[in-house]
Amino acid sequence: MPPPILVTGGTGTLGRHVVARLHDAGRDVRVLTRHARPGESGIEFISGDLLSGRGVDAAVAGVETIVHCASSFKGDPEAARNLVRAALRAGRPHLVYISIVGVDRIPMASPIGRTMFGYLASKLATERVVAESGLPWTTLRSTQFHDLILMVARKLARLPVVPAPAGFRFHPVDADDVAARLVEITLRTPAGRVPDIGGPRVYGAADLLRGYLGAARRRRPVVPVPVPGKGARAFHAGANLAPDHAVSGRTWEEFLADQVGDAPAGG
Ligand SMILES: NC(=O)c1ccc[n+]([C@@H]2O[C@H](COP(=O)([O-])OP(=O)(O)OC[C@H]3O[C@@H](n4cnc5c(N)ncnc54)[C@H](OP(=O)(O)O)[C@@H]3O)[C@@H](O)[C@H]2O)c1
């Protein structure tokens, strides 16, 4: 029996799909989570915290592969360093990391850039921790998941007028389509940076919001709002898109139909 595969963030939006797909592929899975929970057949949950280091040695013990999906708004590079240190002590497993398309193409020089896009800077710093870890590694960059766009759309739709960042386009992808690719590369040999992944279509921000409002049957005007700064200009230029690496998976309209209700045809 091959050793279990550790999935950090295996309780999250992406990680849950990764765990299910690895399990379906016949692999035992170990999930590191801050919140203890009972295991299931072939899936073990280990309580720990990547930021404090609690439980990380136990999580990596005996694994040959780690899929690192855990993330939070702050501290990702430090969390990755803790994971890497434990992994080096445990015998150099293959470290698979999920990052974001465009992290090296969005300038962060100004305070407004750092405030708006600081998370992307922390993803780039974490990519470097992985690449310089001394472990065999593979990193996949993905565009935004449908779930994230939906969460933002739901929040914005509480306003009487829905602001859409002018000139911004997004390339949403289904988290399960990303999980499928991640599992594919996890079961292969370490490959360094692999080609990016994006969804089936690119949309203007206003179109995504209108699609959501239509599916949710909510009437609200969508108003373009200019966003200043170099970071915003990089978005205008499409730094966050991966049109050459589109998957033919679930579209935004199909996702909305499943999650929200009847999406308008063609969206
Ligand atoms: N969302 C997107 O659109 C998108 C796009 C491209 C790439 N990505 C990347 O994909 C990855 C997964 O994103 P997601 O949206 O699926 O994340 P998510 O739903 O927010 O889940 C975050 C996960 O991280 C775990 N976690 C957070 N802090 C932790 C800590 N200190 N120690 C251990 N575990 C911790 C959480 O586990 P517990 O709460 O159980 O502890 C949870 O499972 C991230 O690296 C993200 O940057 C996301």
Side-chain angles (χ1 to χ4, degrees):
M1 192 65 188
I5 293 175
L6 173 63
V7 182
T8 75
T11 57
T13 303
L14 172 67
R16 278 196 299 265
H17 292 289
V18 172
V19 169
R21 283 183 171 272
L22 286 170
H23 185 254
D24 289 351
R27 298 300 302 259
D28 282 347
V29 184
R30 187 181 289 165
V31 173
L32 175 68
T33 167
R34 290 164 298 177
H35 313 284
R37 63 182 78 192
E40 303 154 27
S41 157
I43 303 175
E44 175 194 11
F45 291 89
I46 289 215
S47 171
D49 187 327
L50 286 165
L51 278 176
S52 70
R54 174 179 65 85
V56 182
D57 282 318
V60 299
V63 304
E64 289 173 5
T65 312
I66 300 170
V67 190
H68 183 33
C69 298
S71 178
S72 56
F73 203 64
K74 279 197 174 156
D76 276 5
E78 189 50 36
R81 275 191 283 272
N82 285 336
L83 181 63
V84 164
R85 276 194 286 265
L88 287 169
R89 288 193 289 271
R92 298 186 77 250
H94 176 196
L95 178 58
V96 179
Y97 183 55
I98 178 74
S99 187
I100 302 176
V101 167
V103 284
D104 54 350
R105 298 196 292 249
I106 317 282
M108 304 284 162
S110 68
I112 189 163
R114 280 194 295 279
T115 307
M116 286 194 63
F117 310 119
Y119 180 68
L120 298 180
S122 95
K123 294 296 293 184
L124 185 59
T126 308
E127 279 192 6
R128 291 193 179 125
V129 172
V130 170
E132 292 163 10
S133 64
L135 299 168
W137 61 277
T138 307
T139 291
L140 171 68
R141 288 182 181 171
S142 163
T143 56
Q144 280 66 44
F145 307 157
H146 291 138
D147 310 77
L148 177 71
I149 307 273
L150 177 60
M151 186 186 76
V152 173
R154 280 192 165 130
K155 286 195 173 149
L156 292 177
R158 290 189 199 136
L159 302 168
V161 172
V162 179
F168 275 53
R169 289 167 295 152
F170 291 93
H171 192 177
V173 64
D174 203 76
D176 192 42
D177 292 327
V178 179
R181 178 70 56 81
L182 208 51
V183 164
E184 221 176 272
I185 62 179
T186 295
L187 299 178
R188 291 197 192 136
T189 50
R193 256 289 298 288
V194 294
D196 296 349
I197 180 171
R201 285 178 56 188
V202 172
Y203 303 77
D207 292 334
L208 287 168
L209 292 167
R210 285 194 198 98
Y212 166 70
L213 291 167
R217 302 189 188 291
R218 302 182 74 164
R219 285 175 180 276
R220 296 275 192 288
V222 176
V223 175
V225 174
V227 183
K230 287 185 182 165
R233 284 204 288 282
F235 270 82
H236 295 163
N240 58 321
L241 311 175
D244 298 338
H245 303 291
V247 286
S248 59
R250 193 152 70 142
T251 62
W252 174 237
E253 292 79 13
E254 288 163 347
F255 173 82
L256 285 173
D258 286 348
Q259 298 289 320
V260 181
D262 298 324

